[in-house]
Amino acid sequence: MKKIWVLLFLLTMMQNFQSQKKERFALGDRDFLLDGKPFQMISGEMHCARIPRENWRDRMKMAKAMGLNTIGTYVFWNAHEETPGTYDFKGNNDIAAFVKTAQEEGLYVVLRPSPYVCAEWEFGGYPWWLLKNPELKVRSTDPEFLTAYTRYIKQLAKELVPLQITHGGNILMIQLENEYGSYSDDKNYLEINKKIFRDAGFDSILFTCDGADMMGKGFLPGLLPAVNGLEDPEKVKEIVNRYHNGKGPYYVAEWYPGWFDNWGKKHAKVSAENSAKTLDKLLAAGISVNMYMFHGGTTRGFMNGANMNVNDPYAPQVSSYDYDAPLDEAGNPTGKFYAFREVIKKYLPKDQKLPEIPKAVNTVSIDNIEFTSFASLYDILPKPMELENPLSFEELGQAYGFVLYRTMISESGTVSINGFRDFASVFLNGNKVKDLDRRLNENELSLVNVKENSTMDILVENNGRINYGPFLTDNRKGITEDVRLNKNKILSWKMYSLPFKEVKQIKFLNKPLVLKNIPGFYRAEFVLKTVGDTYLDMRKFGKGFVFLNGKNLGKYWKIGPQQTIYVPAAWLKKGKNELVVFDALKSGHTTISTVSKPILDQNQ
């Protein structure tokens, strides 16, 4: 009897071992190896925070239908730790569920969890509160930064370590930092990054990625160096060989079949025909590719970032992350999707066929939604902080949104706002005087006929923190220095924090909608019998943001090129819906409509 029990125990152990057999992923001299066989990654980038959770699976089915076998994805630190030590991995921030959904759909994942992501995302993914200490330096060996960084990675590891291929999951590789060579070249900092990830339990393959000209600065010896933006197969192989002991595999971690948009600039378009030819060329050479983006989605809320370089002015990015990608902002296939699908078919295993392309989501258009109530900005001001000098957002403990700075003046002259970021509207006794735009290097205005004890208000908006380049650490918002009248510093300020994280606390008045040029909120209710994707038409509006059923859909600005805001069908309700629009520049709105197609290419 004892022998039978021993035999049963051994049999059970063998069965458990077989069921827990780990699928192995490795680096060959020329190829990635999956279970010992060459594996060419045909990957596309998607970000869980930019896609409604209800649509994750739909987008992944589209990825499979185009021929992708892998998803590349960033992880945004500031989405998961908006408050130090408090973590959010729920809803649209459930990165583990995103990865698991990919596995259920037969897709591998290349994870890009470095705290710095760029990604046209606010502060490149860093949380705003790192800027509360003006001496702290991100992307460095600053002890305070490394302490916060390490704490976050350890928390992230609890979500994602079990999902690595080394643990039976579908995460193939982990990116260490992100295009670090374009920022600095401190190998000690990169080694610390590596140790942080390894100590947290990330035991799968680590890699770095950089532009071709920056590879020498950004790679870490011993790790796989991937290249971004390079399209010539021979050059890809040459540069990887140079930094990887004369070996591959060869991986273009960011290949760009599209591009992002900035406010006030033309909509980016990239040829589908030329992109398909490039993809064919790369795949034919055996190079693995991650297209950035396969599906961009939307940068909702106040999470759009900005560019700024030594010779380039501040340039905030739009909320739409359509990216001229194979899937558009709403997840519909574009001409690139079909062109890429035909290319990828040529490189599939002989026994593999692509699934049918899923049907597009129904779209609707809604005419003349009536605003029935209004709240002036001045009616909802909170209790102010009163100090001699103005404070930045960070000094006020505020992440995003607006701050109203108020003071009293008694003479006419030139007002200079030093270190203001990023967009300001100046009012004198409640009347608009001028708008100032950091993009245009504006920071002065003239005031005339100023009476004694006049009230001057400066409404300042955070238009997006810089996410790329040398000014990454110089990223405070609001009035960061001082305000002067005729070169004399103005003292004594009231500061009203207006983060607008939610709008349910706003008290709307059922009164005639204000026609005066005052910033304010417009509220409407509308009833739907059927729901579908749609786009709010913002062409008659000025500058602001929109909440639908409690969710911040993103920003709009009359200068374009984005003139619509995408509304996912999943966030509409059969029955009553609530819409709240804040407009900082125009007033007197009575209705708003939606259209069935986006408008992303119109500048005013």
Side-chain angles (χ1 to χ4, degrees):
M1 181 64 74
K2 184 177 181 181
K3 289 181 179 180
I4 293 174
W5 281 111
V6 170
L7 186 61
L8 287 172
F9 174 77
L10 291 174
L11 182 62
T12 301
M13 289 296 290
M14 288 178 65
Q15 289 173 337
N16 288 340
F17 175 78
Q18 290 295 329
S19 66
Q20 295 174 9
K21 182 180 179 182
K22 297 173 183 176
E23 190 172 31
R24 306 302 301 174
F25 183 72
L27 306 180
D29 288 348
R30 289 291 178 269
D31 303 300
F32 292 110
L33 301 176
L34 186 61
D35 291 337
K37 297 178 181 179
F39 176 73
Q40 186 174 27
M41 270 190 280
I42 307 177
S43 176
E45 188 92 6
M46 295 194 295
H47 306 143
C48 67
R50 283 178 157 136
I51 309 165
R53 180 171 181 152
E54 297 88 341
N55 297 127
W56 289 352
R57 192 177 300 276
D58 298 337
R59 307 303 190 253
M60 291 175 185
K61 287 183 182 297
M62 281 289 191
K64 287 287 287 185
M66 198 179 82
L68 302 185
N69 54 32
T70 306
I71 295 296
T73 190
Y74 280 129
V75 186
F76 302 126
W77 182 2
N78 54 11
H80 296 297
E81 193 182 1
E82 187 176 340
T83 302
T86 301
Y87 299 95
D88 179 5
F89 291 102
K90 304 183 299 298
N92 248 73
N93 288 332
D94 194 342
I95 181 64
F98 184 79
V99 172
K100 290 175 184 176
T101 303
Q103 186 171 30
E104 291 166 4
E105 293 300 324
L107 291 161
Y108 293 99
V109 168
V110 170
L111 192 71
R112 311 175 72 193
S114 164
Y116 172 72
V117 299
C118 184
E120 292 69 60
W121 190 266
E122 228 273 347
F123 199 11
Y126 288 125
W128 69 275
W129 43 264
L130 290 172
L131 295 165
K132 293 177 76 170
N133 176 1
E135 303 301 319
L136 183 148
K137 300 297 182 186
V138 298
R139 297 190 95 177
S140 78
T141 56
D142 181 312
E144 186 177 347
F145 166 67
L146 291 177
T147 296
Y149 172 8
T150 303
R151 183 184 66 209
Y152 162 68
I153 292 297
K154 285 182 178 178
Q155 194 70 30
L156 187 65
K158 296 176 183 178
E159 303 288 322
L160 296 174
V161 160
L163 304 182
Q164 298 174 102
I165 198 165
T166 48
H167 296 250
N170 60 323
I171 297 174
L172 299 178
M173 300 196 300
I174 310 287
Q175 181 181 295
L176 186 75
E177 245 286 349
N178 183 55
E179 298 183 324
Y180 181 66
S182 65
Y183 185 77
S184 188
D185 60 357
D186 186 349
K187 302 299 182 184
N188 180 48
Y189 166 69
L190 291 176
E191 286 286 359
I192 292 171
N193 275 253
K194 178 182 174 183
K195 186 176 188 305
I196 289 171
F197 274 84
R198 291 303 191 210
D199 289 350
F202 289 105
D203 56 5
S204 52
I205 292 169
L206 297 177
F207 73 99
T208 62
C209 74
D210 289 280
D213 295 339
M214 305 295 180
M215 188 84 84
K217 296 170 65 178
F219 92 108
L220 186 63
L223 302 188
L224 174 69
V227 65
N228 287 358
L230 202 57
E231 297 185 334
D232 184 323
E234 292 307 314
K235 290 182 179 179
V236 170
K237 291 181 179 181
E238 186 273 329
I239 198 166
V240 172
N241 287 340
R242 188 190 313 168
Y243 296 107
H244 201 227
N245 301 319
K247 300 187 298 184
Y250 307 106
Y251 181 44
V252 178
E254 291 188 13
W255 169 60
Y256 307 113
W259 203 245
F260 60 87
D261 286 340
N262 292 311
W263 288 116
K265 297 184 179 180
K266 289 185 177 180
H267 176 53
K269 292 291 289 184
V270 179
S271 164
E273 181 182 0
N274 291 343
S275 295
K277 289 178 180 177
T278 300
L279 179 61
D280 198 356
K281 185 170 57 175
L282 290 167
L283 295 182
I287 294 170
S288 289
V289 172
N290 179 53
M291 58 188 70
Y292 194 99
M293 303 287 297
F294 164 67
H295 172 51
T298 310
T299 308
R300 294 183 180 84
F302 301 125
M303 301 311 290
N304 70 288
N307 276 358
M308 186 172 175
N309 281 298
V310 176
N311 297 318
D312 297 317
Y314 173 78
Q317 283 116 18
V318 305
S319 290
S320 170
Y321 208 58
D322 177 89
Y323 220 90
D324 193 29
L327 286 193
D328 69 13
E329 186 176 6
N332 299 307
T334 67
K336 282 186 182 138
F337 179 96
Y338 295 103
F340 292 0
R341 177 178 158 98
E342 291 305 309
V343 169
I344 294 169
K345 279 181 181 179
K346 296 162 58 176
Y347 301 96
L348 296 175
K350 292 182 179 179
D351 59 345
Q352 183 179 338
K353 291 184 178 181
L354 294 182
E356 294 294 321
I357 301 171
K359 292 182 180 179
V361 175
N362 181 47
T363 60
V364 298
S365 58
I366 313 164
D367 293 329
N368 297 324
I369 300 169
E370 292 188 7
F371 294 115
T372 56
S373 53
F374 173 79
S376 163
L377 182 72
Y378 290 109
D379 292 336
I380 62 169
L381 294 178
K383 184 178 179 181
M385 179 180 287
E386 300 187 44
L387 290 171
E388 190 173 68
N389 294 299
L391 299 181
S392 68
F393 277 48
E394 292 75 16
E395 290 167 320
L396 290 167
Q398 183 174 332
Y400 317 111
F402 298 69
V403 170
L404 181 71
Y405 297 87
R406 174 172 287 174
T407 191
M408 305 295 290
I409 59 174
S410 297
E411 62 176 294
S412 302
T414 300
V415 174
S416 301
I417 309 174
N418 300 307
F420 106 88
R421 294 153 179 195
D422 300 301
F423 189 91
S425 295
V426 183
F427 300 82
L428 186 64
N429 297 324
N431 297 307
K432 170 79 77 70
V433 179
K434 189 175 182 179
D435 296 317
L436 301 173
D437 190 343
R438 182 185 181 188
R439 297 177 311 122
L440 307 177
N441 293 317
E442 297 172 338
N443 75 327
E444 287 189 353
L445 70 153
S446 296
L447 297 178
V448 296
N449 300 321
V450 176
K451 299 178 181 178
E452 189 173 352
N453 294 326
S454 291
T455 299
M456 182 173 70
D457 289 337
I458 306 173
L459 179 64
V460 182
E461 178 187 359
N462 167 5
N463 237 355
R465 291 186 177 89
I466 295 164
N467 53 41
Y468 184 86
F471 300 106
L472 191 67
T473 57
D474 184 17
N475 240 334
R476 287 187 164 198
K477 294 298 179 181
I479 298 176
T480 63
E481 296 178 29
D482 58 37
V483 183
R484 294 175 182 261
L485 175 58
N486 298 324
K487 298 184 179 181
N488 298 312
K489 187 185 293 186
I490 300 175
L491 302 176
S492 185
W493 291 87
K494 294 180 180 180
M495 290 159 280
Y496 302 84
S497 289
L498 302 164
F500 298 137
K501 190 172 182 179
E502 55 186 19
V503 292
K504 63 183 180 182
Q505 79 283 6
I506 293 174
K507 293 181 180 179
F508 288 91
L509 301 176
N510 293 318
K511 62 181 183 181
L513 299 180
V514 173
L515 297 177
K516 193 177 179 182
N517 194 15
I518 291 177
F521 289 86
Y522 299 80
R523 182 178 179 273
E525 288 186 348
F526 60 100
V527 176
L528 294 177
K529 293 182 179 179
T530 60
V531 299
D533 282 349
T534 192
Y535 302 85
L536 288 165
D537 185 351
M538 309 307 299
R539 286 175 289 183
K540 295 179 180 179
F541 292 75
K543 189 178 195 300
F545 54 86
V546 178
F547 273 77
L548 172 75
N549 296 327
K551 295 180 184 290
N552 190 332
L553 297 180
K555 298 180 180 180
Y556 65 91
W557 194 354
K558 63 181 181 180
I559 63 174
Q562 177 187 340
Q563 299 291 350
T564 52
I565 291 182
Y566 169 54
V567 180
W571 291 357
L572 287 167
K573 304 174 183 177
K574 289 183 179 180
K576 188 165 65 176
N577 293 265
E578 181 195 55
L579 188 70
V580 176
V581 178
F582 175 74
D583 198 333
L585 297 185
K586 291 186 177 182
S587 57
H589 304 297
T590 56
T591 64
I592 187 171
S593 298
T594 77
V595 290
S596 59
K597 293 183 179 180
I599 303 170
L600 302 175
D601 58 357
Q602 291 185 12
N603 295 90
Q604 293 186 14

